[in-house]
């Protein structure tokens, strides 16, 4: 019998795939990063427990074009500064990706808030423009001109915080009684990235945030722009589950993951399967 595509894979095939995935070469990206100080109350309001605000209400947007051979990828992250158990890092609110393949591992393994979207990184001479868009709305735009080189930083370690969870099959989302809203206890993930930079330049410009009901980043306004850069860098990452979190404390925030939070309780329409 010919091989059935949806049939089981052998243990040897599974092991080979895991080995190949753990030996990826350095993958370089060209990315624009902007960091600003925002409204401290707004930053605190988007942080689910046990995450807490840091000493400064910082917001960071990272908009990158990744040099995957034969598979160019646009990748973005809009995050706020956060702290947990003595570790400071970033809590991403939305991570637009241009391909489905980039969503799967991040969402299902790490709990990253990845969504399909449009990612733009353009450079003509010294003029740079980068943007994130979904549902026809360009909700973040960074624009400016390269104003000079910056010293290359030493390799650095950075931490992102993610919540990994599965909404309850029975739709028990009121957080009372036995209905925690989740099929299994949600967990907090620390994702540590080792970053190397081979080119870094300063950009003089600005950040534009546009209203979107799907990606309400305009609620985190630019109070003081701290800097914009464009760089070529490579990173690896490793995630660790550090804590099981209180389902009732997390439940009020899971709408952050969905364009329409009602969909997690819908199930498929009658007759659709």
């Amino acid at each position: 019998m010919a091989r059935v595509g949806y049939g089981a894979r052998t243990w040897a095939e599974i092991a080979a795939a895991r080995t190949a995935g753990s030996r990826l070469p350095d993958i370089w990206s060209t990315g624009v990063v902007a960091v600003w100080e925002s409204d401290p109350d707004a930053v605190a309001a988007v942080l689910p427990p046990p995450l807490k605000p840091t000493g400064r209400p910082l917001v960071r947007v990272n908009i990158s074009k990744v040099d995957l051979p034969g598979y160019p990828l646009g990748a973005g992250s809009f995050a706020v500064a956060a702290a947990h158990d003595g570790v400071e890092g970033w809590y991403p609110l939305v991570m637009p990706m241009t391909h489905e393949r980039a969503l799967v591992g991040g969402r299902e393994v790490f709990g990253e808030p990845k969504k399909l979207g449009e990612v733009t990184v353009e450079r003509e001479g010294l003029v740079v423009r980068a943007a994130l868009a979904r549902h026809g709305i360009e909700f973040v735009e960074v624009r400016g001109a390269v104003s000079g080189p910056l010293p290359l930083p030493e390799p650095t370690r950075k931490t992102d915080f993610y919540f990994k969870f599965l909404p309850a099959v029975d739709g028990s989302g009121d957080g009372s009684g036995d209905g925690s809203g989740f099929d299994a206890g949600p967990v907090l993930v620390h994702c540590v990235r080792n970053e190397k930079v081979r080119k870094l330049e300063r950009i003089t410009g600005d950040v534009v945030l546009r209203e979107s009901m799907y990606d309400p980043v305009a609620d985190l306004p630019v109070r003081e722009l701290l800097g914009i850069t464009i760089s070529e860098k490579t990173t690896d990452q490793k995630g660790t589950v550090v804590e099981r979190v209180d389902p009732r404390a997390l439940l009020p925030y899971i709408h952050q993951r969905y364009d329409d939070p009602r969909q997690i309780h819908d199930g498929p329409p009658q007759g659709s399967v």
Side-chain angles (χ1 to χ4, degrees), residues 192-246:
V192 177
R193 290 184 168 84
N194 295 297
E195 180 179 286
K196 294 186 294 184
V197 178
R198 67 184 182 187
K199 186 177 182 179
L200 182 64
E201 295 172 287
R202 180 188 297 108
I203 293 176
T204 300
D206 60 2
V207 176
V208 178
L209 305 178
R210 297 187 176 92
E211 296 286 348
S212 169
M213 64 179 292
Y214 306 104
D215 303 288
V217 299
D219 293 341
L220 296 154
V222 181
R223 291 280 178 85
E224 180 183 354
L225 183 59
L226 302 180
I228 306 173
T229 59
I230 184 169
S231 67
E232 295 178 7
K233 63 185 179 183
T234 184
T235 61
D236 61 22
Q237 67 181 47
K238 181 178 180 181
T240 304
V241 173
V242 296
E243 183 178 330
R244 294 197 173 274
V245 302
D246 180 354

Side-chain angles (χ1 to χ4, degrees), residues 19 22 69 77 94 140 145 238:
T19 300
S22 65
S77 174
V94 61
V140 180
K238 181 178 180 181

Side-chain angles (χ1 to χ4, degrees), residues 157-186:
R157 289 165 58 92
K158 298 180 179 180
T159 301
D160 278 358
F161 304 115
Y162 306 123
F163 291 93
K164 183 177 180 179
F165 57 81
L166 286 174
V169 169
D170 63 6
S172 56
D174 62 358
S176 62
D178 293 331
S180 69
F182 302 97
D183 273 333

